[in-house]
Amino acid sequence: MANRLADETSPYLLQHAENPVDWWPWSEAAFAEARSRGVPVLLSVGYASCHWCHVMAHESFEDEATAEYLNEHFVSVKVDREERPDVDSVYMEAVQAATGQGGWPMTVFLNPEAEPFYFGTYFPPAPRHGMPSFRQVLEGVATAWDERRQEVADVAGRIARDLANRGIRYEQPEPPGPEELAGALLELTRDFDSSRGGFGGAPKFPPSMALEFLLRHHARTGAEGALEMVERTCEAMARGGVYDQLAGGFARYSVDAGWVVPHFEKMLYDNALLCRVYAHVWRATGSELARRVALETADFMVRELGTAQGGFASALDADSDDGSGRHREGAYYVWTPAELSEVLGEEDARWAAERYGVTQQGTFEEGASVLQLPAGEGEPGGEEDEERAASVRERLLRAREERPRPERDDKVVAAWNGLAVAALAETGAYFGRPDLVEAATAAARLLAEVHVNGDGRLVRTSRDGTAGPSAGVLEDYADVAEGLMSLYSVTGEASWLERAGALLETVLVHFTAPDGTLYDTADDAEVLIRRPQDPTDSATPSGWTAAAQALLSYAAFTGRSRHREAAERALGIVRALAARAPRFIGWGLAAAEAALDGPREVAVVGPSADTVTSELHRTALLSTAPGAVVALGEPNSPAALDVPLLRDRPLLDGRPTAYVCRNFTCDAPTSDRAVLERALRG
């Protein structure tokens, strides 16, 4: 019989709807039940594509004896961290403070007032490597609750008070200056893996936000070392197993330091951020590899993650059926020499094995290999070689598509779709792919029509075109606003800028404290034991740094000093963290680069159908430094008059015209594409 999760929309919660555990969704009713029964709460947090979440579910939550014990001694609450990042953030902070590490599944025991008193992540079904079994943990917690209730209450109260008092304050509310940004570059240089790219050791995550900072720093200062770190990292990732060499798209991270073996889940947010990075690398260097990867990643998002409603699904699982009925991580993606021979024949199989690094020993489990593209392979070669590569890739793709596919978490998350809108709009504009711009537009329409409620407030998730139950958090407002402004910059449709402004007004009114600090939840959101507040960038830009960047961009489009001042106050935290933890404040550093001199603005006015207008617009998009904004509009049209950057910008001798500005003070206008390019690159 299905439990209470059967009525939820989250794919992760629905995965547990048939468990014998009597699960509750996060709700006041669940805690009221715990108070009524006088039992503690088990809070289990995960997400649909999480490998170890699946493992613990199969080992423990599908086990009848474990479920019977849970149902007798606890009220069990299951949370999708992607649907409720506020709940996840609050209790993950407690887990990390208590254990020194975190991860998912997250396992936390609470009293009926939602105060935590015991923590962990994955627990095995039997004791292993010094780790107690899940049943031992349950029995220990239940015994402590029954026999030492006051001690448990004291611990829970002390932890809750500690969390509640962890507000963020800093003395200097100004953005970092050149000295602090140079210090961040130096620290990243010290942490850089010069032989394999990226920062630090294993596991190694794609550092998309730090790469954006380095690109902007290079554009401002000309620092060659910054660009070299970007190029080395992007090439290593693109040639490694972390990138899908057959179909495009990046896996979540590499379990090793050399980008060889990935954790195979593919997340929308990683691919949106990396698509944009590679497009920006191409814009800065002209790299053909960066161009190919940007376009393949964009196509992966549209093809594999696109939903029928126009949005983008959250993720693809790491696991899939290996053909024998056993679910195994990476089964869909890895190859043995024998499998290559079966698909390609002996001669082409030998060629493909050398090209993609497939060996008898393998690089993964059971002698299988993750496809890589070693240095020197995949470079432009003779026509015969290119034809062979295309044929091999096509045949391997066809064969792979016959395998059982990984499951897809098809909920649409507002923030991550905002990142995808920005990436697809820019990539489509750079490379002359109007289909990608249209995909970005369709996602923006879904966000506007489904994720914005009657009060103008954002809903975090939707599924099958139906809005989910959770209110948007700061990253949703900021990332969607950023995406809409990128879409406006590419299409000239002023309504997207207007919608972004409405979202940022909510940020200023409901998420911003009087001292300029930002909270992850609105001031009228559900009250938790702590109002979450985290400025550090993790797998995605934090809501704090994303809001700073979006506010800065909006001020550049509109000249609104209120937004500029709010952005600068928010960037004060970057000054505090720039040299100490640049890897974890990369998006904030990128925003600070744009804020340093004020982002450059370009206004392009002219008839939309005029080829000169199109040429000037594309030149502006390709030639501006990262962080700049481009406004496009018909001269004197209502839409143009709604955008202050375009207002009172006349045509030059009746011809389409570009204005290069800073803080709305413009240089001489030009109708010559080459003159505009020199002005922007100078």
Side-chain angles (χ1 to χ4, degrees):
M1 180 182 294
N3 56 48
R4 294 173 186 81
L5 301 185
D7 296 327
E8 297 297 306
T9 58
S10 159
Y12 175 65
L13 299 187
L14 290 172
Q15 287 174 357
H16 295 268
E18 299 293 334
N19 289 172
V21 177
D22 188 17
W23 289 112
W24 293 70
W26 179 272
S27 60
E28 171 53 33
F31 290 95
E33 175 73 5
R35 288 191 291 271
S36 172
R37 289 174 51 196
V39 297
V41 171
L42 164 71
L43 173 63
S44 176
V45 182
Y47 57 103
S49 58
C50 167
H51 170 72
W52 287 103
C53 299
H54 294 319
V55 172
M56 190 166 177
H58 295 321
E59 292 174 342
S60 296
F61 300 141
E62 295 173 7
D63 178 70
E64 294 284 350
T66 302
E68 183 179 355
Y69 192 88
L70 272 170
N71 296 340
E72 180 180 354
H73 296 279
F74 300 88
V75 168
S76 300
V77 174
K78 178 62 76 172
V79 168
D80 181 345
R81 68 173 294 260
E82 296 173 346
E83 185 176 72
R84 290 300 303 264
D86 52 341
V87 172
D88 176 64
S89 173
V90 166
Y91 293 103
M92 183 60 73
E93 187 173 3
V95 171
Q96 290 172 330
T99 68
Q101 60 186 7
W104 298 276
M106 177 168 61
T107 306
V108 185
F109 294 89
L110 318 175
N111 65 20
E113 286 68 49
E115 297 171 336
F117 61 87
Y118 190 79
F119 316 90
T121 53
Y122 164 79
F123 289 105
R128 186 186 306 162
H129 306 304
M131 185 186 302
S133 71
F134 186 49
R135 181 60 179 262
Q136 287 174 325
V137 170
L138 294 178
E139 290 173 352
V141 170
T143 298
W145 181 263
D146 290 339
E147 299 178 3
R148 303 192 302 277
R149 183 79 57 90
Q150 187 57 51
E151 180 182 336
V152 170
D154 292 343
V155 169
R158 186 166 63 250
I159 293 171
R161 286 191 298 274
D162 176 66
L163 290 173
N165 291 328
R166 288 188 172 208
I168 294 173
R169 298 291 180 267
Y170 48 88
E171 295 180 359
Q172 295 175 295
E174 300 88 16
E179 183 177 342
E180 288 83 11
L181 294 173
L185 174 64
L186 179 61
E187 189 61 30
L188 285 172
T189 302
R190 289 172 176 153
D191 206 18
F192 181 62
D193 184 341
S194 59
S195 63
R196 294 166 293 198
F199 302 95
K204 191 172 276 185
F205 290 77
S208 53
M209 289 153 281
L211 297 178
E212 282 287 356
F213 159 62
L214 293 171
L215 285 167
R216 294 188 186 191
H217 189 80
H218 168 74
R220 180 177 64 84
T221 67
E224 289 301 324
L227 184 60
E228 287 170 8
M229 284 191 281
V230 174
E231 291 182 293
R232 179 73 187 92
T233 299
C234 285
E235 180 171 359
M237 291 192 300
R239 292 186 177 282
V242 75
Y243 183 68
D244 187 342
Q245 301 296 340
L246 296 183
F250 287 88
R252 180 70 192 89
Y253 61 85
S254 174
V255 301
D256 58 277
W259 308 109
V260 177
V261 178
H263 182 44
F264 288 89
E265 61 184 336
K266 289 182 176 179
M267 315 300 292
L268 173 62
Y269 52 75
D270 284 318
N271 284 282
L273 289 165
L274 288 166
C275 176
R276 206 174 182 190
V277 165
Y278 279 88
H280 291 170
V281 170
W282 172 81
R283 187 172 67 167
T285 68
S287 163
E288 178 57 31
L289 177 65
R291 176 186 181 278
R292 175 173 66 80
V293 172
L295 286 170
E296 288 179 354
T297 305
D299 287 335
F300 158 77
M301 286 192 286
V302 173
R303 182 184 65 250
E304 301 291 340
L305 298 177
T307 70
Q309 295 74 34
F312 294 96
S314 297
L316 299 180
D317 273 8
D319 300 9
S320 59
D321 192 321
D322 65 2
S324 68
R326 181 179 59 152
H327 267 64
R328 194 160 57 89
E329 184 178 3
Y332 184 69
Y333 299 101
V334 297
W335 295 84
T336 63
E339 288 169 333
L340 293 182
S341 296
E342 183 179 349
V343 173
L344 301 172
E346 292 301 325
E347 185 176 346
D348 276 351
R350 283 194 297 272
W351 184 89
E354 183 175 352
R355 177 181 176 87
Y356 291 119
V358 177
T359 66
Q360 290 293 341
Q361 296 77 22
T363 55
F364 192 55
E365 300 167 354
E366 300 178 8
S369 292
V370 184
L371 301 189
Q372 303 172 72
L373 198 63
E377 295 289 347
E379 304 293 351
E383 182 177 338
E384 182 178 340
D385 188 62
E386 291 303 305
E387 288 179 357
R388 187 178 199 178
S391 171
V392 164
R393 186 179 179 188
E394 180 184 352
R395 283 180 284 162
L396 290 177
L397 264 176
R398 275 204 312 267
R400 195 175 82 173
E401 287 168 359
E402 296 298 317
R403 297 174 175 177
R405 297 178 66 86
E407 294 293 324
R408 186 172 85 157
D409 180 345
D410 59 358
K411 71 176 178 297
V412 171
V413 176
W416 307 345
N417 274 253
L419 296 175
V421 168
L424 292 171
E426 291 184 8
T427 304
Y430 294 165
F431 301 117
R433 287 281 302 274
D435 59 312
L436 297 180
V437 178
E438 180 50 43
T441 303
R445 287 197 199 102
L446 177 71
L447 292 170
E449 294 169 3
V450 174
H451 283 254
V452 179
N453 64 25
D455 297 326
R457 303 293 284 274
L458 268 178
V459 175
R460 175 146 175 97
T461 63
S462 70
R463 190 168 186 237
D464 297 331
T466 300
S470 302
V473 295
L474 181 59
E475 70 164 350
D476 295 308
Y477 285 86
D479 288 337
V480 172
E482 174 82 8
L484 297 184
M485 285 187 284
S486 294
L487 188 58
Y488 161 66
S489 189
V490 164
T491 65
E493 176 52 62
S495 65
W496 298 124
L497 182 61
E498 180 184 354
R499 291 178 185 276
L503 295 175
L504 293 175
E505 183 64 21
T506 300
V507 169
L508 293 175
V509 172
H510 291 290
F511 289 86
T512 307
D515 64 357
T517 57
L518 293 159
Y519 287 92
D520 293 335
T521 54
D523 54 7
D524 54 0
E526 177 187 350
V527 177
L528 302 175
I529 60 170
R530 158 171 158 73
R531 189 177 178 191
Q533 185 183 42
D534 185 0
T536 56
D537 301 321
S538 181
T540 59
S542 70
W544 188 312
T545 60
Q549 174 62 72
L551 289 163
L552 194 67
S553 296
Y554 189 74
F557 278 120
T558 64
R560 304 268 174 85
S561 59
R562 176 171 171 244
H563 295 76
R564 170 81 190 191
E565 291 164 2
E568 291 179 346
R569 287 196 304 272
L571 289 172
I573 194 68
V574 183
R575 176 185 286 268
L577 297 175
R580 288 190 289 141
R583 286 171 58 190
F584 304 102
I585 199 75
W587 200 252
L589 290 166
E593 282 287 344
L596 195 59
D597 297 320
R600 182 169 286 181
E601 310 116 9
V602 183
V604 178
V605 292
S608 58
D610 194 300
T611 56
V612 176
T613 304
S614 299
E615 288 175 357
L616 289 172
H617 181 225
R618 189 163 190 269
T619 298
L621 291 171
L622 292 178
S623 302
T624 47
V629 300
V630 177
L632 171 68
E634 299 263 1
N636 301 316
S637 67
L641 294 175
D642 285 341
V643 181
L645 186 56
L646 296 174
R647 201 174 300 144
D648 300 324
R649 308 288 182 212
L651 300 181
L652 181 64
D653 299 327
R655 301 176 63 202
T657 305
Y659 294 81
V660 179
C661 316
R662 196 180 294 277
N663 298 325
F664 280 63
T665 300
C666 299
D667 299 334
T670 181
S671 295
D672 187 291
R673 180 176 58 80
V675 172
L676 174 61
E677 185 173 1
R678 284 196 298 272
L680 292 171
R681 293 192 183 278

